[in-house]
Amino acid sequence: MVSRIIPVEAFDLVVFGGTGDLARRKILPALFRRYCAGQMPEGAQIIGAARSEMDDAQFRVFVTEAIAEFNGDFPYKDEDMQGFLSILFYITVDALGDRGWTELAAKMQADRVRAFYFSVGPSLFGPLAERLHTYGMADMNTRIVVEKPFGRDLETAKELNRSLADHFDEHQVYRIDHYLGKETVQNLMAIRFGNMLFEPLWNSQYVDHIQITVAETVGVQGRGEYYDRAGAMRDMVQNHLMQLLCLIAMEPPSRFEPDAVRDEKLKVIRALDPVDPGDIVRGQYRAEGERQSYLEDVENPQSTTESFIALKLHLSNWRWAGTPFYLRTGKRMRARSSEIAVVFKETPHSIFDEEAGRHRNILTIRLQPNEGIDLDVTIKEPGPGGMRLVDVPLDMTFTEALGPDAEQVPDAYERLIMDVVRGNQTLFMRGDEVEAAWAWTDPIIADWEERGDKPLPYDTGSSGPVDALALMHRDGRRWREVRS
Ligand code: BG6
């Protein structure tokens, strides 16, 4: 496989919150990797902008340290590091005042793609957007990038959309859900719409159910205050799992283009039925050895926020009526493993003896780690002894199939930031999509609050509370094992 780097146009990228955690961990290291890959043209500028007092030289030291800490053993040449540092600049800017704005405007180059990354709390989105106009930095070609959490309910999401819409058109707003930038998540669309094999079977006539699991081994990782106000529902389900659900369930868009894809995703979210409270299991991880419990991690012994959630969902449309979708995600689980399993129905009639048993095909799309797809097919067990059937996986691990280039796939942020520069919104959430997702989420959370619902404890290193297993057992189904 030959990797193709398509250079982007020269750009000015301003990272507001340029000294913050996201910039340090993700944005700046990702930009460096793209630089090393040769994707940044001559004349590109990356400008950190934040309240901290710093100059260009200090910012370059800050970025060098961030790269050392977060780029692992990524190999690079010294000249690449020098080259990258030379396109980095820093300006102290007050988002709520006037400081730094004239200087920032003067730094912008004419005839360049301009992108402003709002890596700051949502309360600053409006003031930043306003100042970009006041100081003459925004035109119809300007792009702004915003991160989750995009609101904490429908009301706040609408308010954020409004404050952005006061200053920018929807085609200029790039709402990041980093799951959409993951290589295998994009592969979901390639598998579904690039093959004849699957699409005819992709409906409730042939699919028994679909399972989506995003299991993490980490806890709340020092983000206790944020997480305890969010929980797995707001932190993962409303956005990342919802996006996976959309891509797996949507109708084929007419083209792989931003609005064609996003229109289809929106229809999926709108087709979601309200969820029966009995179809939801929430959990909180217990302490184990050195590792603290959820309640200790968030320093709130009374917390009723969930670090695990499993739900059974239904979509009211022709394709999926009658096929349940089981979703689960949690922290401190047995393994870091994210996958989507499409479990097909059994054959309608077996021509074999009873002993041969009943079998079904399962298509598993492994998102991380060990990206690839498995298709479980039924074959005859080799050897004598009659017709005995056994299920074997046709395993396609992308690195094995595609060679070393598949190991070097860009991380989600690399792909997404370059898409901003290219002006391609396909992998970004549209405002109405985000609002529809909150409109579905809000009543579920309101119901927990009304009933004083409490999450069930589960063991660190397990696959969640036992009740989550029962959620499927009672339907005569089983979760797939959580393993890496
Ligand atoms: C983030 C959540 O959006 O996604 C985190 O806020 C979570 O809580 C993370 O750990 C998971 O992302 P990934 O890429 O590690 O699967």
Side-chain angles (χ1 to χ4, degrees):
M1 189 181 82
V2 181
S3 49
R4 286 193 308 142
I5 303 291
I6 306 171
V8 294
E9 269 180 69
F11 61 87
D12 282 344
L13 170 67
V14 177
V15 184
F16 290 113
T19 55
D21 203 47
L22 183 73
R24 208 164 63 89
R25 283 172 186 274
K26 297 284 186 186
I27 304 172
L28 295 161
L31 286 165
F32 176 58
R33 291 194 297 271
R34 284 298 88 203
Y35 183 91
C36 296
Q39 206 171 21
M40 287 194 196
E42 194 79 6
Q45 294 192 122
I46 297 165
I47 303 156
R51 253 195 334 207
S52 323
E53 300 287 343
M54 252 192 212
D55 57 19
D56 291 345
Q58 287 165 319
F59 186 58
R60 288 170 187 165
V61 172
F62 169 85
V63 176
T64 312
E65 286 168 3
I67 290 171
E69 191 173 348
F70 296 105
N71 259 357
D73 45 16
F74 174 77
Y76 63 82
K77 298 193 210 91
D78 243 11
E79 66 211 53
D80 281 338
M81 179 60 99
Q82 293 320 317
F84 181 64
L85 294 180
S86 73
I87 65 167
L88 295 181
F89 304 92
Y90 183 84
I91 297 178
T92 303
V93 168
D94 180 0
L96 298 172
D98 293 319
R99 178 159 182 210
W101 288 95
T102 314
E103 217 182 327
L104 185 60
K107 189 83 193 158
M108 298 284 115
Q109 307 173 92
D111 305 323
R112 288 275 190 274
V113 169
R114 272 184 202 173
F116 296 92
Y117 201 129
F118 291 6
S119 178
V120 293
S123 60
L124 296 182
F125 291 179
L128 287 177
E130 193 182 321
R131 281 167 179 73
L132 288 177
H133 280 276
T134 313
Y135 288 89
M137 276 178 266
D139 59 26
M140 284 313 277
N141 206 20
T142 302
R143 289 143 212 186
I144 58 169
V145 186
V146 294
E147 276 282 341
K148 74 177 262 271
F150 199 82
R152 56 176 282 106
D153 52 22
L154 178 58
E155 191 57 30
T156 48
K158 277 188 170 165
E159 186 50 47
L160 284 178
N161 276 336
R162 270 196 297 267
S163 69
L164 294 175
D166 281 346
H167 305 282
F168 293 97
D169 266 13
E170 182 62 33
H171 80 269
Q172 299 178 278
V173 181
Y174 290 72
R175 294 177 195 76
I176 287 201
D177 181 312
H178 79 280
Y179 266 56
L180 289 176
K182 287 184 190 270
E183 189 73 7
T184 345
V185 174
Q186 295 169 58
N187 228 327
L188 254 176
M189 283 182 276
I191 290 167
R192 278 196 66 191
F193 305 126
N195 294 286
M196 192 57 205
L197 191 59
F198 302 117
E199 199 50 29
L201 306 179
W202 212 261
N203 56 55
S204 59
Q205 198 183 339
Y206 297 102
V207 177
D208 177 71
H209 73 277
I210 292 180
Q211 305 185 12
I212 303 180
T213 298
V214 177
E216 299 186 274
T217 49
V218 292
V220 298
Q221 288 185 300
R223 296 189 307 156
E225 205 189 318
Y226 150 77
Y227 193 90
D228 203 37
R229 277 183 286 116
M233 188 67 171
R234 287 191 172 99
D235 186 51
M236 297 293 288
V237 177
Q238 186 271 347
N239 36 76
H240 304 326
L241 276 84
M242 182 68 81
Q243 291 297 324
L244 298 180
L245 173 77
C246 285
L247 297 180
I248 205 88
M250 72 185 184
E251 295 300 316
S254 57
R255 302 191 59 78
F256 188 56
E257 279 176 358
D259 280 332
V261 171
R262 298 185 304 174
D263 286 347
E264 295 307 334
K265 290 199 292 167
L266 179 61
K267 285 186 211 159
V268 173
I269 305 174
R270 290 195 173 148
L272 273 170
D273 285 347
V275 189
D276 185 324
D279 286 343
I280 304 177
V281 177
R282 301 163 71 222
Q284 273 179 351
Y285 57 82
R286 290 197 178 97
E288 191 221 50
E290 302 277 273
R291 299 200 281 181
Q292 304 197 116
S293 69
Y294 175 79
L295 297 177
E296 288 161 333
D297 274 351
V298 299
E299 297 175 15
N300 177 6
Q302 308 305 329
S303 172
T304 56
T305 304
E306 72 288 348
S307 60
F308 170 96
I309 187 165
L311 329 89
K312 175 179 167 185
L313 311 183
H314 292 281
L315 283 170
S316 278
N317 61 23
W318 273 50
R319 187 186 283 264
W320 294 118
T323 296
F325 288 74
Y326 298 89
L327 272 52
R328 69 179 161 168
T329 181
K331 299 212 177 275
R332 282 279 155 76
M333 293 178 65
R334 180 174 302 140
R336 177 170 188 255
S337 154
S338 302
E339 62 166 44
I340 300 174
V342 181
V343 181
F344 290 89
K345 291 187 174 171
E346 290 177 358
T347 49
H349 161 75
S350 174
I351 64 168
F352 306 107
D353 293 345
E354 286 232 327
E355 297 88 76
R358 301 300 289 271
H359 296 262
R360 52 178 40 168
N361 303 114
I362 302 177
L363 174 71
T364 312
I365 299 141
R366 297 190 306 269
L367 304 178
Q368 60 189 26
N370 198 17
E371 292 86 344
I373 55 175
D374 274 344
L375 178 62
D376 283 4
V377 291
T378 304
I379 58 163
K380 176 187 172 300
E381 206 174 292
M387 185 58 116
R388 284 172 288 116
L389 302 184
V390 61
D391 295 334
V392 293
L394 293 180
D395 178 352
M396 191 177 116
T397 301
F398 295 151
T399 47
E400 276 169 26
L402 303 173
D405 276 354
E407 279 172 33
Q408 286 159 19
V409 291
D411 126 308
Y413 277 88
E414 292 177 56
R415 164 77 201 237
L416 294 174
I417 299 172
M418 290 300 110
D419 274 0
V420 173
V421 177
R422 284 190 204 99
N424 184 346
Q425 287 185 307
T426 310
L427 300 176
F428 296 83
M429 292 179 300
R430 212 167 52 191
D432 50 4
E433 248 183 279
V434 179
E435 289 184 14
W438 281 121
W440 172 82
T441 312
D442 278 1
I444 301 175
I445 297 178
D447 175 67
W448 299 337
E449 285 171 358
E450 229 165 78
R451 287 188 292 113
D453 187 68
K454 290 201 178 69
L456 305 163
Y458 62 94
D459 288 342
T460 283
S462 69
S463 43
V466 187
D467 287 43
L469 305 180
L471 185 68
M472 287 199 99
H473 285 173
R474 66 175 198 216
D475 295 343
R477 301 182 172 113
R478 268 193 316 172
W479 288 107
R480 290 168 55 78
E481 218 182 301
V482 175
R483 61 189 154 96
S484 44

Short mmCIF file of all heavy atoms in Angstrom, two decimals, residues 246-287:
data_model
loop_
_atom_site.label_atom_id
_atom_site.label_comp_id
_atom_site.label_asym_id
_atom_site.label_seq_id
_atom_site.Cartn_x
_atom_site.Cartn_y
_atom_site.Cartn_z
N CYS A 246 -25.18 5.92 14.30
CA CYS A 246 -25.64 6.55 13.05
C CYS A 246 -24.97 5.91 11.84
O CYS A 246 -25.62 5.59 10.85
CB CYS A 246 -25.29 8.04 13.06
SG CYS A 246 -26.35 9.00 14.12
N LEU A 247 -23.66 5.71 11.93
CA LEU A 247 -22.95 5.19 10.76
C LEU A 247 -23.34 3.75 10.46
O LEU A 247 -23.38 3.32 9.31
CB LEU A 247 -21.43 5.27 10.96
CG LEU A 247 -20.88 6.69 11.12
CD1 LEU A 247 -19.38 6.66 11.31
CD2 LEU A 247 -21.23 7.57 9.93
N ILE A 248 -23.67 3.01 11.51
CA ILE A 248 -24.01 1.60 11.29
C ILE A 248 -25.46 1.47 10.81
O ILE A 248 -25.80 0.55 10.07
CB ILE A 248 -23.76 0.77 12.59
CG1 ILE A 248 -23.51 -0.69 12.26
CG2 ILE A 248 -24.84 0.84 13.60
CD1 ILE A 248 -22.12 -0.99 11.99
N ALA A 249 -26.32 2.43 11.21
CA ALA A 249 -27.75 2.26 10.94
C ALA A 249 -28.27 3.10 9.79
O ALA A 249 -29.37 2.86 9.30
CB ALA A 249 -28.55 2.61 12.20
N MET A 250 -27.48 4.08 9.33
CA MET A 250 -28.06 5.04 8.36
C MET A 250 -28.29 4.42 6.99
O MET A 250 -27.73 3.38 6.64
CB MET A 250 -27.14 6.26 8.23
CG MET A 250 -25.86 6.00 7.49
SD MET A 250 -24.83 7.49 7.55
CE MET A 250 -23.46 6.95 6.53
N GLU A 251 -29.14 5.07 6.22
CA GLU A 251 -29.35 4.68 4.83
C GLU A 251 -28.13 5.11 4.02
O GLU A 251 -27.43 6.04 4.41
CB GLU A 251 -30.60 5.40 4.28
CG GLU A 251 -31.89 5.01 4.94
CD GLU A 251 -32.18 3.52 4.80
OE1 GLU A 251 -32.01 2.98 3.70
OE2 GLU A 251 -32.57 2.89 5.81
N PRO A 252 -27.89 4.47 2.89
CA PRO A 252 -26.75 4.90 2.07
C PRO A 252 -26.96 6.34 1.59
O PRO A 252 -27.99 6.64 0.99
CB PRO A 252 -26.79 3.96 0.87
CG PRO A 252 -27.66 2.82 1.28
CD PRO A 252 -28.59 3.31 2.34
N PRO A 253 -26.03 7.25 1.90
CA PRO A 253 -26.17 8.61 1.36
C PRO A 253 -25.92 8.57 -0.15
O PRO A 253 -25.25 7.66 -0.63
CB PRO A 253 -25.06 9.39 2.07
CG PRO A 253 -24.20 8.40 2.76
CD PRO A 253 -24.82 7.06 2.71
N SER A 254 -26.44 9.56 -0.86
CA SER A 254 -26.26 9.51 -2.32
C SER A 254 -24.81 9.73 -2.71
O SER A 254 -24.34 9.21 -3.71
CB SER A 254 -27.17 10.53 -3.01
OG SER A 254 -26.87 11.80 -2.50
N ARG A 255 -24.10 10.51 -1.92
CA ARG A 255 -22.68 10.73 -2.18
C ARG A 255 -21.96 10.85 -0.83
O ARG A 255 -22.58 11.14 0.17
CB ARG A 255 -22.45 12.02 -2.96
CG ARG A 255 -23.15 12.08 -4.30
CD ARG A 255 -22.65 13.27 -5.10
NE ARG A 255 -21.21 13.20 -5.35
CZ ARG A 255 -20.63 12.44 -6.27
NH1 ARG A 255 -21.37 11.67 -7.03
NH2 ARG A 255 -19.32 12.44 -6.43
N PHE A 256 -20.64 10.65 -0.86
CA PHE A 256 -19.85 10.83 0.35
C PHE A 256 -19.53 12.33 0.47
O PHE A 256 -18.41 12.77 0.22
CB PHE A 256 -18.59 9.97 0.29
CG PHE A 256 -17.82 9.95 1.58
CD1 PHE A 256 -18.41 9.56 2.77
CD2 PHE A 256 -16.48 10.34 1.62
CE1 PHE A 256 -17.71 9.56 3.97
CE2 PHE A 256 -15.77 10.33 2.81
CZ PHE A 256 -16.38 9.95 3.98
N GLU A 257 -20.54 13.08 0.79
CA GLU A 257 -20.40 14.53 0.89
C GLU A 257 -21.04 15.00 2.18
O GLU A 257 -21.97 14.35 2.68
CB GLU A 257 -21.11 15.20 -0.29
CG GLU A 257 -20.25 15.18 -1.53
CD GLU A 257 -20.95 15.74 -2.75
OE1 GLU A 257 -22.14 16.13 -2.63
OE2 GLU A 257 -20.31 15.76 -3.81
N PRO A 258 -20.57 16.14 2.71
CA PRO A 258 -20.98 16.54 4.06
C PRO A 258 -22.48 16.47 4.32
O PRO A 258 -22.92 15.75 5.21
CB PRO A 258 -20.46 17.97 4.19
CG PRO A 258 -19.32 18.04 3.23
CD PRO A 258 -19.59 17.07 2.13
N ASP A 259 -23.28 17.18 3.54
CA ASP A 259 -24.68 17.22 3.91
C ASP A 259 -25.42 15.94 3.58
O ASP A 259 -26.35 15.55 4.28
CB ASP A 259 -25.37 18.47 3.35
CG ASP A 259 -25.05 19.66 4.25
OD1 ASP A 259 -24.81 19.43 5.46
OD2 ASP A 259 -24.99 20.80 3.76
N ALA A 260 -24.97 15.24 2.52
CA ALA A 260 -25.62 13.97 2.18
C ALA A 260 -25.44 12.99 3.35
O ALA A 260 -26.38 12.32 3.78
CB ALA A 260 -25.02 13.40 0.90
N VAL A 261 -24.23 12.92 3.91
CA VAL A 261 -23.96 12.00 5.02
C VAL A 261 -24.68 12.48 6.28
O VAL A 261 -25.34 11.69 6.97
CB VAL A 261 -22.43 11.88 5.28
CG1 VAL A 261 -22.14 11.10 6.56
CG2 VAL A 261 -21.73 11.25 4.09
N ARG A 262 -24.61 13.77 6.55
CA ARG A 262 -25.18 14.25 7.81
C ARG A 262 -26.71 14.22 7.80
O ARG A 262 -27.34 14.00 8.83
CB ARG A 262 -24.61 15.64 8.13
CG ARG A 262 -23.08 15.49 8.31
CD ARG A 262 -22.35 16.71 8.73
NE ARG A 262 -22.52 17.86 7.89
CZ ARG A 262 -22.02 19.07 8.21
NH1 ARG A 262 -21.34 19.22 9.32
NH2 ARG A 262 -22.18 20.09 7.41
N ASP A 263 -27.31 14.38 6.63
CA ASP A 263 -28.77 14.24 6.55
C ASP A 263 -29.18 12.83 6.98
O ASP A 263 -30.15 12.65 7.72
CB ASP A 263 -29.27 14.46 5.11
CG ASP A 263 -29.24 15.93 4.71
OD1 ASP A 263 -29.07 16.79 5.59
OD2 ASP A 263 -29.36 16.20 3.49
N GLU A 264 -28.44 11.84 6.51
CA GLU A 264 -28.80 10.45 6.83
C GLU A 264 -28.58 10.15 8.31
O GLU A 264 -29.35 9.43 8.94
CB GLU A 264 -28.01 9.45 5.96
CG GLU A 264 -28.31 9.53 4.48
CD GLU A 264 -29.80 9.42 4.14
OE1 GLU A 264 -30.57 8.81 4.92
OE2 GLU A 264 -30.21 9.97 3.09
N LYS A 265 -27.51 10.71 8.87
CA LYS A 265 -27.27 10.47 10.30
C LYS A 265 -28.39 11.09 11.14
O LYS A 265 -28.87 10.50 12.10
CB LYS A 265 -25.90 11.07 10.71
CG LYS A 265 -24.73 10.29 10.13
CD LYS A 265 -23.44 10.58 10.89
CE LYS A 265 -23.00 11.99 10.68
NZ LYS A 265 -21.98 12.44 11.59
N LEU A 266 -28.77 12.29 10.73
CA LEU A 266 -29.83 12.98 11.48
C LEU A 266 -31.12 12.15 11.49
O LEU A 266 -31.80 12.05 12.52
CB LEU A 266 -30.08 14.35 10.84
CG LEU A 266 -31.17 15.21 11.47
CD1 LEU A 266 -30.81 15.53 12.92
CD2 LEU A 266 -31.36 16.51 10.69
N LYS A 267 -31.43 11.51 10.35
CA LYS A 267 -32.66 10.71 10.29
C LYS A 267 -32.59 9.56 11.28
O LYS A 267 -33.60 9.17 11.87
CB LYS A 267 -32.85 10.15 8.87
CG LYS A 267 -33.30 11.19 7.89
CD LYS A 267 -33.60 10.52 6.55
CE LYS A 267 -33.32 11.48 5.41
NZ LYS A 267 -33.11 10.80 4.14
N VAL A 268 -31.41 8.99 11.47
CA VAL A 268 -31.27 7.89 12.44
C VAL A 268 -31.58 8.40 13.84
O VAL A 268 -32.37 7.80 14.58
CB VAL A 268 -29.83 7.29 12.41
CG1 VAL A 268 -29.65 6.28 13.53
CG2 VAL A 268 -29.55 6.65 11.05
N ILE A 269 -30.99 9.52 14.21
CA ILE A 269 -31.19 10.03 15.59
C ILE A 269 -32.67 10.33 15.81
O ILE A 269 -33.24 10.02 16.85
CB ILE A 269 -30.33 11.29 15.85
CG1 ILE A 269 -28.87 11.00 15.54
CG2 ILE A 269 -30.48 11.76 17.29
CD1 ILE A 269 -27.95 12.21 15.62
N ARG A 270 -33.29 10.90 14.78
CA ARG A 270 -34.71 11.25 14.92
C ARG A 270 -35.60 10.02 14.97
O ARG A 270 -36.73 10.10 15.44
CB ARG A 270 -35.13 12.18 13.79
CG ARG A 270 -34.48 13.55 13.96
CD ARG A 270 -35.13 14.58 13.08
NE ARG A 270 -34.61 15.92 13.38
CZ ARG A 270 -34.48 16.88 12.51
NH1 ARG A 270 -34.83 16.67 11.25
NH2 ARG A 270 -34.02 18.05 12.87
N ALA A 271 -35.10 8.89 14.46
CA ALA A 271 -35.93 7.67 14.47
C ALA A 271 -35.78 6.88 15.77
O ALA A 271 -36.44 5.86 15.97
CB ALA A 271 -35.54 6.78 13.28
N LEU A 272 -34.90 7.35 16.67
CA LEU A 272 -34.71 6.62 17.93
C LEU A 272 -35.95 6.73 18.81
O LEU A 272 -36.46 7.84 19.04
CB LEU A 272 -33.53 7.22 18.70
CG LEU A 272 -32.15 6.68 18.39
CD1 LEU A 272 -31.09 7.56 19.07
CD2 LEU A 272 -32.00 5.23 18.83
N ASP A 273 -36.41 5.61 19.32
CA ASP A 273 -37.54 5.64 20.26
C ASP A 273 -37.07 6.12 21.63
O ASP A 273 -35.90 5.92 21.97
CB ASP A 273 -38.09 4.22 20.44
CG ASP A 273 -38.90 3.78 19.23
OD1 ASP A 273 -39.22 4.64 18.40
OD2 ASP A 273 -39.18 2.57 19.14
N PRO A 274 -37.97 6.68 22.42
CA PRO A 274 -37.61 6.93 23.84
C PRO A 274 -37.24 5.59 24.47
O PRO A 274 -37.74 4.54 24.05
CB PRO A 274 -38.91 7.47 24.44
CG PRO A 274 -39.78 7.83 23.30
CD PRO A 274 -39.36 7.03 22.12
N VAL A 275 -36.35 5.62 25.45
CA VAL A 275 -35.88 4.35 26.02
C VAL A 275 -36.65 4.03 27.30
O VAL A 275 -36.80 4.89 28.17
CB VAL A 275 -34.38 4.40 26.33
CG1 VAL A 275 -33.85 3.03 26.70
CG2 VAL A 275 -33.61 4.95 25.15
N ASP A 276 -37.09 2.79 27.38
CA ASP A 276 -37.75 2.32 28.60
C ASP A 276 -36.72 2.29 29.74
O ASP A 276 -35.64 1.75 29.57
CB ASP A 276 -38.24 0.89 28.29
CG ASP A 276 -39.04 0.29 29.40
OD1 ASP A 276 -38.72 0.56 30.59
OD2 ASP A 276 -39.97 -0.46 29.08
N PRO A 277 -37.04 2.89 30.91
CA PRO A 277 -36.05 2.88 32.01
C PRO A 277 -35.56 1.48 32.35
O PRO A 277 -34.42 1.29 32.78
CB PRO A 277 -36.81 3.50 33.18
CG PRO A 277 -37.92 4.28 32.56
CD PRO A 277 -38.26 3.62 31.25
N GLY A 278 -36.39 0.47 32.14
CA GLY A 278 -35.98 -0.91 32.42
C GLY A 278 -34.96 -1.42 31.42
O GLY A 278 -34.38 -2.50 31.61
N ASP A 279 -34.70 -0.68 30.35
CA ASP A 279 -33.72 -1.10 29.35
C ASP A 279 -32.39 -0.37 29.51
O ASP A 279 -31.59 -0.28 28.57
CB ASP A 279 -34.27 -0.83 27.93
CG ASP A 279 -35.35 -1.83 27.55
OD1 ASP A 279 -35.45 -2.89 28.21
OD2 ASP A 279 -36.10 -1.55 26.60
N ILE A 280 -32.20 0.19 30.71
CA ILE A 280 -30.95 0.92 30.96
C ILE A 280 -30.32 0.40 32.24
O ILE A 280 -31.01 0.21 33.24
CB ILE A 280 -31.20 2.44 31.16
CG1 ILE A 280 -31.95 3.01 29.95
CG2 ILE A 280 -29.90 3.19 31.41
CD1 ILE A 280 -32.32 4.48 30.09
N VAL A 281 -29.00 0.15 32.20
CA VAL A 281 -28.29 -0.23 33.43
C VAL A 281 -27.14 0.75 33.61
O VAL A 281 -26.34 0.96 32.68
CB VAL A 281 -27.73 -1.67 33.33
CG1 VAL A 281 -26.93 -2.01 34.58
CG2 VAL A 281 -28.86 -2.66 33.12
N ARG A 282 -27.08 1.36 34.78
CA ARG A 282 -25.99 2.30 35.06
C ARG A 282 -25.11 1.73 36.16
O ARG A 282 -25.61 1.04 37.06
CB ARG A 282 -26.55 3.65 35.52
CG ARG A 282 -27.46 4.29 34.50
CD ARG A 282 -28.27 5.38 35.16
NE ARG A 282 -27.48 6.54 35.51
CZ ARG A 282 -27.58 7.22 36.64
NH1 ARG A 282 -28.43 6.83 37.59
NH2 ARG A 282 -26.84 8.26 36.89
N GLY A 283 -23.82 2.04 36.10
CA GLY A 283 -22.91 1.52 37.12
C GLY A 283 -21.84 2.52 37.53
O GLY A 283 -21.60 3.51 36.85
N GLN A 284 -21.22 2.20 38.68
CA GLN A 284 -20.07 2.99 39.17
C GLN A 284 -19.00 2.00 39.58
O GLN A 284 -19.30 1.01 40.27
CB GLN A 284 -20.46 3.76 40.43
CG GLN A 284 -21.07 5.10 40.19
CD GLN A 284 -21.45 5.81 41.48
OE1 GLN A 284 -21.41 5.22 42.58
NE2 GLN A 284 -21.85 7.05 41.37
N TYR A 285 -17.74 2.24 39.20
CA TYR A 285 -16.71 1.26 39.53
C TYR A 285 -16.30 1.31 41.01
O TYR A 285 -16.30 2.36 41.63
CB TYR A 285 -15.49 1.35 38.60
CG TYR A 285 -14.79 2.68 38.52
CD1 TYR A 285 -13.85 3.09 39.47
CD2 TYR A 285 -15.03 3.54 37.44
CE1 TYR A 285 -13.19 4.30 39.36
CE2 TYR A 285 -14.37 4.76 37.33
CZ TYR A 285 -13.45 5.13 38.29
OH TYR A 285 -12.80 6.34 38.19
N ARG A 286 -15.98 0.10 41.50
CA ARG A 286 -15.53 -0.02 42.90
C ARG A 286 -14.02 0.16 42.96
O ARG A 286 -13.34 0.09 41.93
CB ARG A 286 -15.82 -1.44 43.41
CG ARG A 286 -17.26 -1.78 43.61
CD ARG A 286 -17.32 -3.03 44.50
NE ARG A 286 -18.69 -3.42 44.79
CZ ARG A 286 -19.35 -4.35 44.12
NH1 ARG A 286 -18.77 -5.01 43.13
NH2 ARG A 286 -20.59 -4.65 44.44
N ALA A 287 -13.50 0.30 44.18
CA ALA A 287 -12.05 0.37 44.36
C ALA A 287 -11.48 -1.02 44.18
O ALA A 287 -12.17 -2.03 44.36
CB ALA A 287 -11.74 0.87 45.77
#
